[in-house]
Amino acid sequence: MNDYRRLAEHIADDITAGRLKPGERLPPQRVFARRRGIAGSTAGRVYAELVRRGLVVGEVGRGTFVRAAPAATGRALVEAATAAPVNLELNYPSAPGQSELLAPALAPLLRPDVLTEALRPAAANGTPAAREAAAALLATPGWRPAPDRLLFTGNARQAIAATLASLVRPGGRLGVEPLTYPLVKEIAARLGIILVPLAADEGGVQPESVAAVHRRAPLSALYLQPTLHNPTSLTASGERLRQLAAAVRALDIPVVEDRIWSFLTDDDPLAAHAPDLTHVVDGLSKRVAPGLTVGFVLVPEARLGAVAAAVRSGGWSAGRFAVDAAARWIGDGTVQRLVAAKRADAARRQRIVGEELRGFAVRSDPRAYFAWWELPAPWRADTFTAAAAAHGIAVTPGPAFVVDPNRTPDAVRLGLASAPEPDLRRALRTLAGVVRGTPRAGRAGPPSGRG
């Protein structure tokens, strides 16, 4: 075994055995090299190997720290990574009596004659009834999508994958917000897409940044979340959307607009201002339930064939049974009733956040199901995530959303939807105590080695 790999193995053993704790800072590479009597370049290879294995994380200007947990792969906030009693990582809202509301619309589908048709393969453009229902569901006060431009996938994540696959070739560049949906990072890695962070402010992505980045090297497309951005909850104003629309039209850059959380608002989309370039992605997983869902893609007319081909070739088509069930749930008002209940639920949970995390730097929106907590010094995202896990609470560390690895925020995202309200309140109170150094269940103080 090469010397550097042998040294990396020794450190890995110390991390696995718990002799090096999550959040603990490793010595600077020059100090490590001097202590071990090795060249500085060898020390650099040791640290690079530990980073490659996901055991440590390097932060520019700070140092190298033991990770709170192995790097997540393949989940992207859609599967539980923990058995923590209170999970503020996954984020699936559920309304009281949800199953009772959904059941009646499914009963007619179980008649043998109807079921036979519902079990046939579904076309990428669904059925006329499904297209009309989905168009009505996605409409806002100032915008209504054309039903004949809608395609259907198994869920919204598949809609994102299919749309990106149709827009960006391997090696192509995709402009994104500096904090983006972790699944998009995984999709991009699998498709060979290069993510390029755009500059953003309190109003969202800056239109001039799109032009500046595109001038340096052309962008194939943008992926944006202008409504209730995950994880910050930011919503771009109508004026900012008009400015972005003008920028992408001038540069002829297509956009994938993720509207998955838009059901909590009545805000118009970017697509209302740039319909010929914007691909709107949405779905039923948050509105209804994650287990039986459908994704929607509203596609510019000229690109219907390309996106439909990507849906079919990627195996991302929706099941006919799910499409028919969705049309019924939308048509009989079930989805609208669930949306009303979840809007009220999100507002209650945001009030709990405001009460339990008062005084902390928490960014959110009264309508959102998540909050972005910017941690006070000397806490780091990894060490706080580990401290929360020690108290049976799962949170998502800020670096999961980061595009530029040299700019890792000391923040965590709190998913508010999945935990029962009493558990949510207790968890937030415990986390506040952890940060203050006086948690109710045991004690977990801040790390001593923040660089």
Side-chain angles (χ1 to χ4, degrees), residues 109-144:
L109 290 175
L110 301 181
R111 284 177 19 213
D113 56 328
V114 178
L115 186 60
T116 298
E117 191 65 26
L119 294 180
R120 297 184 187 279
N125 64 348
T127 65
R131 291 193 294 275
E132 290 291 341
L137 181 70
L138 302 182
T140 64
W143 173 77
R144 181 181 175 87

Side-chain angles (χ1 to χ4, degrees), residues 4-28:
Y4 83 90
R5 287 185 177 162
R6 186 180 301 110
L7 289 170
E9 197 64 40
H10 287 321
I11 297 174
D13 289 343
D14 287 342
I15 293 172
T16 302
R19 291 185 290 272
L20 286 173
K21 307 294 185 185
E24 190 168 340
R25 185 183 181 185
L26 300 186

Side-chain angles (χ1 to χ4, degrees), residues 234-256:
L234 187 149
T235 293
S237 67
E239 179 58 27
R240 177 58 61 88
L241 292 180
R242 284 188 285 274
Q243 293 169 352
L244 277 171
V248 298
R249 285 199 303 268
L251 300 167
D252 196 29
I253 301 176
V255 181
V256 180

Side-chain angles (χ1 to χ4, degrees), residues 319-344:
R320 175 66 182 270
F321 186 90
V323 169
D324 287 352
R328 289 175 179 271
W329 285 329
I330 296 168
D332 69 7
T334 296
V335 176
Q336 287 84 342
R337 288 190 286 274
L338 288 173
V339 165
K342 291 178 180 183
R343 287 186 176 191

Side-chain angles (χ1 to χ4, degrees), residues 178-179 200-204 229 231-235 350 353 357 360-366 368-375 409 411-414 416:
L179 299 172
D201 56 21
E202 293 302 314
H229 171 263
T232 64
S233 301
L234 187 149
T235 293
Q350 285 291 344
V353 172
L357 299 184
F360 291 109
V362 178
R363 299 177 59 184
S364 194
D365 183 299
Y369 262 122
F370 40 87
W372 180 247
W373 188 359
E374 296 173 344
L375 301 167
V412 294
R413 193 203 71 170
L414 306 173
L416 310 178

Side-chain angles (χ1 to χ4, degrees), residues 174-254:
L174 177 69
V176 295
E177 288 118 341
L179 299 172
T180 196
Y181 182 25
L183 181 84
V184 169
K185 294 166 65 174
E186 293 194 4
I187 291 173
R190 292 184 181 278
L191 295 178
I193 294 171
I194 300 168
L195 296 185
V196 183
L198 304 167
D201 56 21
E202 293 302 314
V205 166
Q206 298 172 348
E208 58 271 23
S209 169
V210 177
V213 169
H214 189 64
R215 279 196 300 269
R216 287 196 294 270
L219 296 168
S220 299
L222 306 181
Y223 165 83
L224 303 175
Q225 305 173 75
T227 304
L228 293 181
H229 171 263
N230 181 13
T232 64
S233 301
L234 187 149
T235 293
S237 67
E239 179 58 27
R240 177 58 61 88
L241 292 180
R242 284 188 285 274
Q243 293 169 352
L244 277 171
V248 298
R249 285 199 303 268
L251 300 167
D252 196 29
I253 301 176

Side-chain angles (χ1 to χ4, degrees), residues 25 33 94 109 123 267 316 346 444:
R25 185 183 181 185
S94 178
L109 290 175
D267 294 45
W316 293 311

